Amino acid sequence: DAGVIQSPRHEVTEMGQEVTLRCKPISGHNSLFWYRQTMMRGLELLIYFNNNVPIDDSGMPEDRFSAKMPNASFSTLKIQPSEPRDSAVYFCASSPAGKGTREPQHFGDGTRLSIL
Amino acid sequence: GNSVTQMEGPVTLSEEAFLTINCTYTATGYPSLFWYVQYPGEGLQLLLKATKADDKGSNKGFEATYRKETTSFHLEKGSVQVSDSAVYFCALSEPGGSYIPTFGRGTSLIVHP
């Protein structure tokens, strides 16, 4: 079975540019999560979708960050304009259930983002 | 709110040594407990889980027992290998509670030949 697919795997861009990260969750999973991982702050939840609807975006650092899920098989995380402090590994994860789940999350391999 | 506390790393061991990584949790209800492993350059992947008290999760020689009385879920392995070098995350998910799982900060394991 295909796992969670993220693209691109690596992105290097200059400060001020727009960055779009993409995620395809596992088919049939109705919960989707975006995380950011850095050495200093560890794993941080940015936003959570259930049935394509954003439920909790309290982890989104600021207005430069936005996320969408137009359908059950695709989500994007956009940073505009990007800044060097946004450099991190961004993970997408999905799981098969919503509230009250005993199911684990399934993570993609991440996008390593470097803002110069 | 819910929380997960893991021992600070890195944990450095020689090959074939015994491994314990401590994990304790606080939760308002009756959570499911998970251990995830993250190998270099990869995402987190489920290592094992337990859904009720006294359950033992096991996989790849790793084990953890859900201890409700001590609110703990310590990860153990009898003989580690160099290939076990990774970061290990303890996590909980509470049925009927928040949508969002709670993760510990991760413990780095380094195994030397």
Side-chain angles (χ1 to χ4, degrees):
Chain A
D1 290 341
V4 175
I5 299 171
Q6 291 187 245
S7 64
R9 287 297 314 275
H10 302 274
E11 175 88 10
V12 180
T13 192
E14 292 190 346
M15 168 179 180
Q17 297 298 306
E18 178 178 291
V19 173
T20 299
L21 311 181
R22 297 173 176 80
C23 175
K24 177 179 169 58
I26 293 173
S27 176
H29 285 192
N30 61 351
S31 296
L32 185 139
F33 306 79
W34 281 100
Y35 290 90
R36 178 171 68 177
Q37 187 178 41
T38 61
M39 289 292 291
M40 289 295 294
R41 301 173 69 92
L43 190 67
E44 301 174 276
L45 177 68
L46 300 177
I47 187 168
Y48 161 67
F49 291 88
N50 185 247
N51 292 324
N52 312 338
V53 176
I55 303 298
D56 187 338
D57 65 355
S58 59
M60 296 286 263
E62 48 198 274
D63 291 346
R64 298 184 298 105
F65 285 69
S66 62
K68 294 182 180 180
M69 192 164 186
N71 57 61
S73 59
F74 184 65
S75 178
T76 59
L77 178 68
K78 188 173 292 187
I79 308 172
Q80 167 63 22
S82 58
E83 297 183 3
R85 60 193 168 117
D86 303 329
S87 298
V89 182
Y90 290 81
F91 289 104
C92 176
S94 69
S95 69
K99 193 168 189 177
T101 177
R102 293 194 180 278
E103 295 299 317
Q105 294 180 310
H106 299 254
F107 283 75
D109 282 337
T111 295
R112 183 173 295 275
L113 178 64
S114 297
I115 308 297
L116 306 177
Chain B
N2 297 339
S3 68
V4 174
T5 303
Q6 293 181 233
M7 60 191 292
E8 292 277 334
V11 174
T12 304
L13 296 172
S14 297
E15 204 164 27
E16 299 184 3
F18 184 85
L19 168 71
T20 300
I21 300 178
N22 291 336
C23 171
T24 57
Y25 68 90
T26 58
T28 54
Y30 205 164
S32 291
L33 301 174
F34 307 90
W35 276 102
Y36 290 82
V37 58
Q38 183 180 27
Y39 299 105
E42 298 183 9
L44 283 69
Q45 56 185 273
L46 180 69
L47 180 60
L48 52 85
K49 71 174 185 179
T51 58
K52 62 183 186 294
D54 300 325
D55 263 4
K56 179 184 283 187
S58 61
N59 187 23
K60 299 180 181 180
F62 290 89
E63 294 183 338
T65 300
Y66 189 143
R67 301 288 188 198
K68 192 171 191 305
E69 65 277 11
T70 55
T71 61
S72 65
F73 193 54
H74 304 322
L75 182 68
E76 297 182 336
K77 187 176 185 182
S79 177
V80 293
Q81 305 300 312
V82 172
S83 58
D84 294 326
S85 298
V87 181
Y88 293 81
F89 291 87
C90 185
L92 71 82
S93 178
E94 190 164 15
S98 167
Y99 289 90
I100 301 168
T102 302
F103 283 85
R105 288 189 58 83
T107 302
S108 175
L109 170 66
I110 302 169
V111 181
H112 294 294

